[in-house]
Amino acid sequence: MDGVPEPHTGWTFLTNHARVLAAIADNHSARIRDIAAHCRLTERAVQKIIADLEQDGYLSHTREGRSNTYRIDPGKVLRHPAEAGLTVASLMTLLLQDEADRATNTTTRVRPHATT
């Protein structure tokens, strides 16, 4: 089926909600189609996740012509009790910094446990 990303099997460390939020933090005017491709999700799944994030106050959007511009509430506290006190800003800082590091260091990155 065209436009549907390959499914991922197995477990991952991040939820799809975190992935979508990070994609939006990276580009506040990203299209749902682009977010879906980046996160390897369907557009419908991304729409549902954005609705969840908006309903709970983590995200809002304004309509600008035919596109949306998203705003993330950086002070919003993460939902799980194990992350009590951690904010969306702290999570996004970790995720976006890693993305930037991967983009600039892909050829020079050294594995921490690599042996010569």
Side-chain angles (χ1 to χ4, degrees), residues 59-99:
L59 185 66
S60 61
H61 76 276
T62 55
R63 191 85 172 145
E64 294 182 6
R66 293 178 50 178
S67 61
N68 290 321
T69 299
Y70 297 98
R71 183 188 166 284
I72 296 171
D73 182 350
K76 190 84 168 157
V77 177
L78 301 181
R79 292 169 44 117
H80 196 281
E83 290 93 35
L86 290 176
T87 63
V88 169
S90 60
L91 175 64
M92 292 301 106
T93 298
L94 289 171
L95 294 177
L96 294 177
Q97 183 60 46
D98 181 61
E99 279 291 319

mmCIF file of all heavy atoms in Angstrom, residues 59-99:
data_model
loop_
_atom_site.group_PDB
_atom_site.id
_atom_site.type_symbol
_atom_site.label_atom_id
_atom_site.label_comp_id
_atom_site.label_asym_id
_atom_site.label_seq_id
_atom_site.Cartn_x
_atom_site.Cartn_y
_atom_site.Cartn_z
ATOM 1 N N LEU A 59 0.079 20.197 23.596
ATOM 2 C CA LEU A 59 0.241 20.736 22.257
ATOM 3 C C LEU A 59 -0.994 21.549 21.894
ATOM 4 O O LEU A 59 -2.109 21.221 22.308
ATOM 5 C CB LEU A 59 0.382 19.549 21.288
ATOM 6 C CG LEU A 59 0.674 19.782 19.838
ATOM 7 C CD1 LEU A 59 2.058 20.381 19.668
ATOM 8 C CD2 LEU A 59 0.593 18.455 19.083
ATOM 9 N N SER A 60 -0.788 22.612 21.130
ATOM 10 C CA SER A 60 -1.907 23.358 20.545
ATOM 11 C C SER A 60 -1.494 23.732 19.130
ATOM 12 O O SER A 60 -0.325 23.608 18.766
ATOM 13 C CB SER A 60 -2.228 24.602 21.372
ATOM 14 O OG SER A 60 -1.120 25.469 21.407
ATOM 15 N N HIS A 61 -2.455 24.152 18.339
ATOM 16 C CA HIS A 61 -2.120 24.546 16.974
ATOM 17 C C HIS A 61 -2.941 25.757 16.551
ATOM 18 O O HIS A 61 -4.007 26.014 17.096
ATOM 19 C CB HIS A 61 -2.323 23.389 15.986
ATOM 20 C CG HIS A 61 -3.753 23.134 15.643
ATOM 21 N ND1 HIS A 61 -4.580 22.356 16.424
ATOM 22 C CD2 HIS A 61 -4.512 23.565 14.602
ATOM 23 C CE1 HIS A 61 -5.775 22.300 15.869
ATOM 24 N NE2 HIS A 61 -5.767 23.032 14.757
ATOM 25 N N THR A 62 -2.377 26.490 15.609
ATOM 26 C CA THR A 62 -3.104 27.576 14.965
ATOM 27 C C THR A 62 -3.089 27.298 13.479
ATOM 28 O O THR A 62 -2.098 26.794 12.939
ATOM 29 C CB THR A 62 -2.467 28.951 15.251
ATOM 30 O OG1 THR A 62 -1.096 28.925 14.869
ATOM 31 C CG2 THR A 62 -2.574 29.332 16.707
ATOM 32 N N ARG A 63 -4.190 27.604 12.867
ATOM 33 C CA ARG A 63 -4.337 27.384 11.433
ATOM 34 C C ARG A 63 -3.779 28.593 10.701
ATOM 35 O O ARG A 63 -4.134 29.722 11.016
ATOM 36 C CB ARG A 63 -5.827 27.205 11.122
ATOM 37 C CG ARG A 63 -6.101 26.723 9.749
ATOM 38 C CD ARG A 63 -6.005 25.230 9.727
ATOM 39 N NE ARG A 63 -6.452 24.762 8.425
ATOM 40 C CZ ARG A 63 -5.933 23.726 7.818
ATOM 41 N NH1 ARG A 63 -4.974 23.041 8.386
ATOM 42 N NH2 ARG A 63 -6.377 23.356 6.651
ATOM 43 N N GLU A 64 -2.887 28.356 9.767
ATOM 44 C CA GLU A 64 -2.314 29.422 8.953
ATOM 45 C C GLU A 64 -2.484 29.033 7.489
ATOM 46 O O GLU A 64 -1.704 28.238 6.968
ATOM 47 C CB GLU A 64 -0.848 29.640 9.300
ATOM 48 C CG GLU A 64 -0.655 30.161 10.716
ATOM 49 C CD GLU A 64 0.790 30.421 11.075
ATOM 50 O OE1 GLU A 64 1.667 30.312 10.185
ATOM 51 O OE2 GLU A 64 1.033 30.726 12.244
ATOM 52 N N GLY A 65 -3.527 29.570 6.882
ATOM 53 C CA GLY A 65 -3.845 29.176 5.512
ATOM 54 C C GLY A 65 -4.279 27.730 5.477
ATOM 55 O O GLY A 65 -5.204 27.335 6.169
ATOM 56 N N ARG A 66 -3.566 26.938 4.694
ATOM 57 C CA ARG A 66 -3.890 25.514 4.586
ATOM 58 C C ARG A 66 -3.044 24.643 5.495
ATOM 59 O O ARG A 66 -3.127 23.424 5.445
ATOM 60 C CB ARG A 66 -3.693 25.071 3.141
ATOM 61 C CG ARG A 66 -4.693 25.716 2.200
ATOM 62 C CD ARG A 66 -4.468 25.320 0.782
ATOM 63 N NE ARG A 66 -4.354 23.870 0.639
ATOM 64 C CZ ARG A 66 -4.200 23.250 -0.505
ATOM 65 N NH1 ARG A 66 -4.140 23.938 -1.623
ATOM 66 N NH2 ARG A 66 -4.104 21.950 -0.553
ATOM 67 N N SER A 67 -2.202 25.258 6.321
ATOM 68 C CA SER A 67 -1.327 24.462 7.187
ATOM 69 C C SER A 67 -1.512 24.840 8.651
ATOM 70 O O SER A 67 -2.145 25.840 8.983
ATOM 71 C CB SER A 67 0.132 24.649 6.770
ATOM 72 O OG SER A 67 0.494 26.003 6.896
ATOM 73 N N ASN A 68 -0.951 24.035 9.512
ATOM 74 C CA ASN A 68 -0.990 24.264 10.953
ATOM 75 C C ASN A 68 0.397 24.634 11.457
ATOM 76 O O ASN A 68 1.402 24.136 10.955
ATOM 77 C CB ASN A 68 -1.433 22.996 11.696
ATOM 78 C CG ASN A 68 -2.881 22.672 11.458
ATOM 79 O OD1 ASN A 68 -3.728 23.548 11.406
ATOM 80 N ND2 ASN A 68 -3.179 21.395 11.309
ATOM 81 N N THR A 69 0.412 25.479 12.469
ATOM 82 C CA THR A 69 1.631 25.732 13.213
ATOM 83 C C THR A 69 1.358 25.261 14.630
ATOM 84 O O THR A 69 0.373 25.672 15.247
ATOM 85 C CB THR A 69 2.009 27.231 13.199
ATOM 86 O OG1 THR A 69 2.233 27.617 11.848
ATOM 87 C CG2 THR A 69 3.262 27.473 14.011
ATOM 88 N N TYR A 70 2.237 24.400 15.135
ATOM 89 C CA TYR A 70 2.032 23.797 16.442
ATOM 90 C C TYR A 70 2.822 24.537 17.506
ATOM 91 O O TYR A 70 3.891 25.079 17.254
ATOM 92 C CB TYR A 70 2.460 22.327 16.412
ATOM 93 C CG TYR A 70 1.631 21.505 15.462
ATOM 94 C CD1 TYR A 70 2.082 21.218 14.180
ATOM 95 C CD2 TYR A 70 0.386 21.031 15.843
ATOM 96 C CE1 TYR A 70 1.319 20.475 13.297
ATOM 97 C CE2 TYR A 70 -0.390 20.291 14.967
ATOM 98 C CZ TYR A 70 0.086 20.021 13.700
ATOM 99 O OH TYR A 70 -0.679 19.286 12.835
ATOM 100 N N ARG A 71 2.287 24.529 18.716
ATOM 101 C CA ARG A 71 2.967 25.094 19.869
ATOM 102 C C ARG A 71 2.964 24.039 20.971
ATOM 103 O O ARG A 71 1.912 23.513 21.331
ATOM 104 C CB ARG A 71 2.259 26.352 20.364
ATOM 105 C CG ARG A 71 2.992 27.001 21.524
ATOM 106 C CD ARG A 71 2.179 28.134 22.149
ATOM 107 N NE ARG A 71 2.732 28.503 23.419
ATOM 108 C CZ ARG A 71 2.608 27.818 24.549
ATOM 109 N NH1 ARG A 71 1.926 26.699 24.569
ATOM 110 N NH2 ARG A 71 3.150 28.225 25.668
ATOM 111 N N ILE A 72 4.139 23.743 21.471
ATOM 112 C CA ILE A 72 4.294 22.774 22.555
ATOM 113 C C ILE A 72 4.377 23.541 23.867
ATOM 114 O O ILE A 72 5.071 24.556 23.948
ATOM 115 C CB ILE A 72 5.574 21.935 22.346
ATOM 116 C CG1 ILE A 72 5.446 21.105 21.068
ATOM 117 C CG2 ILE A 72 5.855 21.048 23.550
ATOM 118 C CD1 ILE A 72 6.721 20.415 20.639
ATOM 119 N N ASP A 73 3.698 23.065 24.890
ATOM 120 C CA ASP A 73 3.795 23.672 26.217
ATOM 121 C C ASP A 73 5.015 23.063 26.912
ATOM 122 O O ASP A 73 4.956 21.938 27.412
ATOM 123 C CB ASP A 73 2.537 23.399 27.028
ATOM 124 C CG ASP A 73 2.563 24.044 28.407
ATOM 125 O OD1 ASP A 73 3.630 24.549 28.819
ATOM 126 O OD2 ASP A 73 1.517 24.031 29.079
ATOM 127 N N PRO A 74 6.147 23.776 26.953
ATOM 128 C CA PRO A 74 7.381 23.208 27.480
ATOM 129 C C PRO A 74 7.352 22.945 28.984
ATOM 130 O O PRO A 74 8.096 22.108 29.483
ATOM 131 C CB PRO A 74 8.443 24.254 27.130
ATOM 132 C CG PRO A 74 7.689 25.524 27.004
ATOM 133 C CD PRO A 74 6.322 25.152 26.508
ATOM 134 N N GLY A 75 6.464 23.627 29.708
ATOM 135 C CA GLY A 75 6.408 23.461 31.158
ATOM 136 C C GLY A 75 5.495 22.341 31.619
ATOM 137 O O GLY A 75 5.438 22.022 32.810
ATOM 138 N N LYS A 76 4.790 21.740 30.691
ATOM 139 C CA LYS A 76 3.861 20.658 31.040
ATOM 140 C C LYS A 76 4.651 19.467 31.585
ATOM 141 O O LYS A 76 5.662 19.053 31.023
ATOM 142 C CB LYS A 76 3.073 20.254 29.791
ATOM 143 C CG LYS A 76 1.943 19.344 30.046
ATOM 144 C CD LYS A 76 0.718 20.109 30.453
ATOM 145 C CE LYS A 76 -0.460 19.142 30.415
ATOM 146 N NZ LYS A 76 -1.532 19.548 31.248
ATOM 147 N N VAL A 77 4.201 18.917 32.682
ATOM 148 C CA VAL A 77 4.884 17.803 33.349
ATOM 149 C C VAL A 77 4.486 16.492 32.681
ATOM 150 O O VAL A 77 3.333 16.299 32.291
ATOM 151 C CB VAL A 77 4.536 17.791 34.856
ATOM 152 C CG1 VAL A 77 5.164 16.610 35.555
ATOM 153 C CG2 VAL A 77 4.982 19.095 35.509
ATOM 154 N N LEU A 78 5.446 15.583 32.554
ATOM 155 C CA LEU A 78 5.186 14.277 31.955
ATOM 156 C C LEU A 78 4.181 13.508 32.791
ATOM 157 O O LEU A 78 4.087 13.680 34.005
ATOM 158 C CB LEU A 78 6.488 13.497 31.792
ATOM 159 C CG LEU A 78 7.550 14.179 30.914
ATOM 160 C CD1 LEU A 78 8.797 13.299 30.810
ATOM 161 C CD2 LEU A 78 7.009 14.496 29.541
ATOM 162 N N ARG A 79 3.447 12.626 32.161
ATOM 163 C CA ARG A 79 2.288 11.979 32.779
ATOM 164 C C ARG A 79 2.604 10.848 33.750
ATOM 165 O O ARG A 79 1.895 10.644 34.726
ATOM 166 C CB ARG A 79 1.372 11.409 31.690
ATOM 167 C CG ARG A 79 0.715 12.454 30.870
ATOM 168 C CD ARG A 79 0.044 11.873 29.644
ATOM 169 N NE ARG A 79 -0.707 10.671 29.893
ATOM 170 C CZ ARG A 79 -2.004 10.540 29.723
ATOM 171 N NH1 ARG A 79 -2.699 11.559 29.290
ATOM 172 N NH2 ARG A 79 -2.600 9.405 29.945
ATOM 173 N N HIS A 80 3.624 10.070 33.487
ATOM 174 C CA HIS A 80 3.877 8.874 34.300
ATOM 175 C C HIS A 80 4.487 9.250 35.648
ATOM 176 O O HIS A 80 5.377 10.090 35.712
ATOM 177 C CB HIS A 80 4.803 7.923 33.541
ATOM 178 C CG HIS A 80 4.806 6.549 34.106
ATOM 179 N ND1 HIS A 80 5.521 6.202 35.226
ATOM 180 C CD2 HIS A 80 4.161 5.430 33.700
ATOM 181 C CE1 HIS A 80 5.329 4.927 35.489
ATOM 182 N NE2 HIS A 80 4.500 4.439 34.580
ATOM 183 N N PRO A 81 4.034 8.615 36.736
ATOM 184 C CA PRO A 81 4.576 8.935 38.065
ATOM 185 C C PRO A 81 6.097 8.738 38.183
ATOM 186 O O PRO A 81 6.751 9.420 38.959
ATOM 187 C CB PRO A 81 3.846 7.952 38.996
ATOM 188 C CG PRO A 81 2.603 7.578 38.266
ATOM 189 C CD PRO A 81 2.929 7.641 36.810
ATOM 190 N N ALA A 82 6.666 7.845 37.395
ATOM 191 C CA ALA A 82 8.117 7.627 37.452
ATOM 192 C C ALA A 82 8.890 8.841 36.946
ATOM 193 O O ALA A 82 10.057 9.010 37.268
ATOM 194 C CB ALA A 82 8.500 6.388 36.640
ATOM 195 N N GLU A 83 8.238 9.682 36.131
ATOM 196 C CA GLU A 83 8.880 10.899 35.619
ATOM 197 C C GLU A 83 8.338 12.140 36.321
ATOM 198 O O GLU A 83 8.407 13.239 35.771
ATOM 199 C CB GLU A 83 8.662 11.043 34.102
ATOM 200 C CG GLU A 83 9.417 10.041 33.277
ATOM 201 C CD GLU A 83 8.597 8.795 32.976
ATOM 202 O OE1 GLU A 83 7.375 8.890 32.789
ATOM 203 O OE2 GLU A 83 9.194 7.710 32.943
ATOM 204 N N ALA A 84 7.826 11.974 37.525
ATOM 205 C CA ALA A 84 7.238 13.092 38.257
ATOM 206 C C ALA A 84 8.228 14.251 38.327
ATOM 207 O O ALA A 84 9.391 14.076 38.690
ATOM 208 C CB ALA A 84 6.833 12.648 39.666
ATOM 209 N N GLY A 85 7.769 15.423 37.932
ATOM 210 C CA GLY A 85 8.599 16.613 37.988
ATOM 211 C C GLY A 85 9.353 16.908 36.701
ATOM 212 O O GLY A 85 9.817 18.017 36.505
ATOM 213 N N LEU A 86 9.499 15.929 35.821
ATOM 214 C CA LEU A 86 10.172 16.177 34.556
ATOM 215 C C LEU A 86 9.204 16.856 33.590
ATOM 216 O O LEU A 86 8.037 16.485 33.515
ATOM 217 C CB LEU A 86 10.678 14.878 33.931
ATOM 218 C CG LEU A 86 11.841 14.202 34.639
ATOM 219 C CD1 LEU A 86 12.171 12.884 33.961
ATOM 220 C CD2 LEU A 86 13.057 15.107 34.631
ATOM 221 N N THR A 87 9.706 17.814 32.845
ATOM 222 C CA THR A 87 8.856 18.561 31.924
ATOM 223 C C THR A 87 9.064 18.098 30.490
ATOM 224 O O THR A 87 10.043 17.425 30.173
ATOM 225 C CB THR A 87 9.164 20.062 31.986
ATOM 226 O OG1 THR A 87 10.515 20.263 31.560
ATOM 227 C CG2 THR A 87 8.953 20.623 33.386
ATOM 228 N N VAL A 88 8.139 18.508 29.648
ATOM 229 C CA VAL A 88 8.254 18.240 28.221
ATOM 230 C C VAL A 88 9.544 18.856 27.694
ATOM 231 O O VAL A 88 10.230 18.255 26.871
ATOM 232 C CB VAL A 88 7.018 18.797 27.475
ATOM 233 C CG1 VAL A 88 7.222 18.780 25.974
ATOM 234 C CG2 VAL A 88 5.779 18.014 27.852
ATOM 235 N N ALA A 89 9.903 20.040 28.180
ATOM 236 C CA ALA A 89 11.128 20.704 27.726
ATOM 237 C C ALA A 89 12.357 19.844 27.989
ATOM 238 O O ALA A 89 13.238 19.735 27.132
ATOM 239 C CB ALA A 89 11.281 22.066 28.406
ATOM 240 N N SER A 90 12.422 19.200 29.151
ATOM 241 C CA SER A 90 13.584 18.364 29.449
ATOM 242 C C SER A 90 13.638 17.141 28.538
ATOM 243 O O SER A 90 14.716 16.762 28.062
ATOM 244 C CB SER A 90 13.605 17.947 30.929
ATOM 245 O OG SER A 90 12.452 17.221 31.267
ATOM 246 N N LEU A 91 12.497 16.557 28.253
ATOM 247 C CA LEU A 91 12.455 15.418 27.340
ATOM 248 C C LEU A 91 12.860 15.835 25.931
ATOM 249 O O LEU A 91 13.678 15.178 25.284
ATOM 250 C CB LEU A 91 11.054 14.797 27.319
ATOM 251 C CG LEU A 91 10.840 13.668 26.313
ATOM 252 C CD1 LEU A 91 11.726 12.474 26.638
ATOM 253 C CD2 LEU A 91 9.376 13.267 26.283
ATOM 254 N N MET A 92 12.304 16.950 25.461
ATOM 255 C CA MET A 92 12.608 17.410 24.111
ATOM 256 C C MET A 92 14.082 17.800 23.979
ATOM 257 O O MET A 92 14.697 17.550 22.946
ATOM 258 C CB MET A 92 11.718 18.593 23.718
ATOM 259 C CG MET A 92 10.262 18.231 23.541
ATOM 260 S SD MET A 92 9.968 16.963 22.285
ATOM 261 C CE MET A 92 9.587 15.542 23.291
ATOM 262 N N THR A 93 14.652 18.371 25.015
ATOM 263 C CA THR A 93 16.075 18.728 24.981
ATOM 264 C C THR A 93 16.920 17.492 24.752
ATOM 265 O O THR A 93 17.830 17.492 23.919
ATOM 266 C CB THR A 93 16.485 19.434 26.286
ATOM 267 O OG1 THR A 93 15.729 20.638 26.410
ATOM 268 C CG2 THR A 93 17.967 19.761 26.287
ATOM 269 N N LEU A 94 16.611 16.425 25.457
ATOM 270 C CA LEU A 94 17.362 15.173 25.283
ATOM 271 C C LEU A 94 17.185 14.595 23.883
ATOM 272 O O LEU A 94 18.152 14.231 23.224
ATOM 273 C CB LEU A 94 16.913 14.132 26.308
ATOM 274 C CG LEU A 94 17.317 14.377 27.744
ATOM 275 C CD1 LEU A 94 16.613 13.375 28.652
ATOM 276 C CD2 LEU A 94 18.814 14.280 27.894
ATOM 277 N N LEU A 95 15.956 14.521 23.425
ATOM 278 C CA LEU A 95 15.687 13.908 22.131
ATOM 279 C C LEU A 95 16.220 14.733 20.971
ATOM 280 O O LEU A 95 16.817 14.197 20.046
ATOM 281 C CB LEU A 95 14.186 13.679 21.954
ATOM 282 C CG LEU A 95 13.558 12.658 22.890
ATOM 283 C CD1 LEU A 95 12.062 12.591 22.667
ATOM 284 C CD2 LEU A 95 14.191 11.297 22.713
ATOM 285 N N LEU A 96 16.026 16.032 21.014
ATOM 286 C CA LEU A 96 16.462 16.870 19.898
ATOM 287 C C LEU A 96 17.976 17.020 19.874
ATOM 288 O O LEU A 96 18.574 17.077 18.809
ATOM 289 C CB LEU A 96 15.772 18.229 19.942
ATOM 290 C CG LEU A 96 14.259 18.166 19.723
ATOM 291 C CD1 LEU A 96 13.635 19.543 19.866
ATOM 292 C CD2 LEU A 96 13.919 17.554 18.384
ATOM 293 N N GLN A 97 18.615 17.057 21.028
ATOM 294 C CA GLN A 97 20.075 17.130 21.053
ATOM 295 C C GLN A 97 20.661 15.864 20.459
ATOM 296 O O GLN A 97 21.602 15.908 19.689
ATOM 297 C CB GLN A 97 20.591 17.337 22.481
ATOM 298 C CG GLN A 97 22.094 17.481 22.557
ATOM 299 C CD GLN A 97 22.613 18.664 21.752
ATOM 300 O OE1 GLN A 97 22.059 19.752 21.843
ATOM 301 N NE2 GLN A 97 23.634 18.450 20.952
ATOM 302 N N ASP A 98 20.088 14.725 20.770
ATOM 303 C CA ASP A 98 20.569 13.467 20.206
ATOM 304 C C ASP A 98 20.402 13.466 18.694
ATOM 305 O O ASP A 98 21.280 13.031 17.969
ATOM 306 C CB ASP A 98 19.831 12.275 20.817
ATOM 307 C CG ASP A 98 20.348 10.964 20.261
ATOM 308 O OD1 ASP A 98 21.542 10.678 20.434
ATOM 309 O OD2 ASP A 98 19.559 10.249 19.615
ATOM 310 N N GLU A 99 19.263 13.955 18.199
ATOM 311 C CA GLU A 99 19.038 14.030 16.755
ATOM 312 C C GLU A 99 20.099 14.905 16.101
ATOM 313 O O GLU A 99 20.638 14.566 15.064
ATOM 314 C CB GLU A 99 17.647 14.595 16.451
ATOM 315 C CG GLU A 99 16.539 13.597 16.561
ATOM 316 C CD GLU A 99 16.583 12.542 15.481
ATOM 317 O OE1 GLU A 99 16.853 12.863 14.318
ATOM 318 O OE2 GLU A 99 16.357 11.375 15.817
#
